[in-house]
């Protein structure tokens, strides 16, 4: 935004879906996995939890990197709030199947925390993207088949919308990218807070 800094984005996440989403938007992020132990973080509220985890991931990676004014570190974390419960990644196939037995025909709220840190400026910006997800009333057979693919074992809430699970989500209210794991409109706003532009990150 009028400055001459050569920005590059470091994504503090192992999620291939987040990286693919950025790549499709013209941003080739460098991926570094934080190794943050998510189990040590306790929060009563899904909104607060995802933001704390995103912040921890970004700060852990920022601490490992050399001082470069162009490096921006983005941490993201997603959780599903469902009827007073917080669903991150399921522990196993049994838990994923149990969740789907509860979620089918109902709706939950997917929260994704986003935290952006500038290495040299020390500036930070963060926000939570929120999307309402309406699940289809799927059969026991469909649940068993879906869980057997292992797809729901690797994602918050035990579902995706950009994979096999997309057939089991009837509609959403909000940004679909947020459900995949990263909201591009939200990232744009956070970059503006850091006096950068999302177009600064587009590959040539």
């Amino acid at each position: 935004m009028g400055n001459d800094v050569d920005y590059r984005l470091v994504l503090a996440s192992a999620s291939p879906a987040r990286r693919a989403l950025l790549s499709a938007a013209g941003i080739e992020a460098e991926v570094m996995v934080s190794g943050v132990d998510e189990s040590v973080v306790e929060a009563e509220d899904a909104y607060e939890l995802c933001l704390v985890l995103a912040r921890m991931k970004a700060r852990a990676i920022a601490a490992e990197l050399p001082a470069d004014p162009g490096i921006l570190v983005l941490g993201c974390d997603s959780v599903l709030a469902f009827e007073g419960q917080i669903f991150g990644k399921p522990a196993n196939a049994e838990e994923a199947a149990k969740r789907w037995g509860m979620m089918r025909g109902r709706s939950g709220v997917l929260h994704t925390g986003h935290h952006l840190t500038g290495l040299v400026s020390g500036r930070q910006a963060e926000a939570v993207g929120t999307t309402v997800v309406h699940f289809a009333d799927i059969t026991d057979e469909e649940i068993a088949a879906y869980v057997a693919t292992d797809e729901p074992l690797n994602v918050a809430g035990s579902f995706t919308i950009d994979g096999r699970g997309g057939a089991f989500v009837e509609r959403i209210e909000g940004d679909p990218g947020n459900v995949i794991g990263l909201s591009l409109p939200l990232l744009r706003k956070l970059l503006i807070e850091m006096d950068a532009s999302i177009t600064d990150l587009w590959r040539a």
Side-chain angles (χ1 to χ4, degrees):
M1 304 197 65
N3 53 35
D4 297 321
V5 179
D6 185 17
Y7 287 109
R8 61 193 179 97
L9 189 68
V10 174
L11 179 62
S13 169
S15 164
R18 289 191 180 107
R19 188 178 189 183
L21 202 151
L22 286 167
S23 182
I27 301 168
E28 292 302 340
E30 181 182 337
V31 172
M32 294 182 68
V33 182
S34 67
V36 166
D37 183 3
E38 300 182 18
S39 66
V40 302
V41 180
E42 293 184 17
E44 302 276 322
D45 177 66
Y47 187 100
E48 178 192 355
L49 176 64
C50 70
L51 194 55
V52 169
L53 289 171
R55 189 185 305 140
M56 286 174 63
K57 289 178 179 180
R59 288 180 177 172
I61 293 301
E64 297 178 18
L65 292 168
D68 182 331
I71 295 178
L72 298 171
V73 181
L74 176 64
C76 294
D77 194 86
S78 300
V79 294
L80 181 74
F82 180 79
E83 298 184 354
Q85 299 181 68
I86 299 174
F87 290 169
K89 292 178 184 175
N92 50 43
E94 183 181 21
E95 185 174 51
K98 182 181 177 183
R99 286 181 180 181
W100 266 102
M102 298 162 61
M103 297 188 313
R104 59 183 167 189
R106 308 175 95 146
S107 60
V109 181
L110 196 288
H111 298 290
T112 297
H114 299 64
H115 180 92
L116 198 60
T117 293
L119 289 195
V120 174
S121 68
R123 296 176 69 173
Q124 301 177 46
E126 61 182 26
V128 175
T130 297
T131 307
V132 180
V133 182
H134 298 271
F135 300 103
D137 190 7
I138 65 177
T139 65
D140 290 346
E141 291 76 16
E142 286 173 316
I143 291 173
Y146 184 42
V147 172
T149 69
D150 285 346
E151 182 183 276
L153 303 187
N154 301 311
V155 287
S158 311
F159 76 99
T160 67
I161 61 169
D162 57 334
R164 291 179 174 89
F168 305 140
V169 175
E170 294 200 327
R171 65 189 174 90
I172 63 170
E173 298 168 47
D175 175 17
N178 192 63
V179 182
I180 296 170
L182 193 159
S183 170
L184 290 166
L186 197 52
L187 174 60
R188 173 183 165 269
K189 291 176 182 175
L190 296 180
L191 286 162
I192 289 170
E193 286 186 40
M194 308 275 283
D195 288 330
S197 167
I198 198 160
T199 62
D200 294 335
L201 296 174
W202 287 352
R203 60 181 178 268

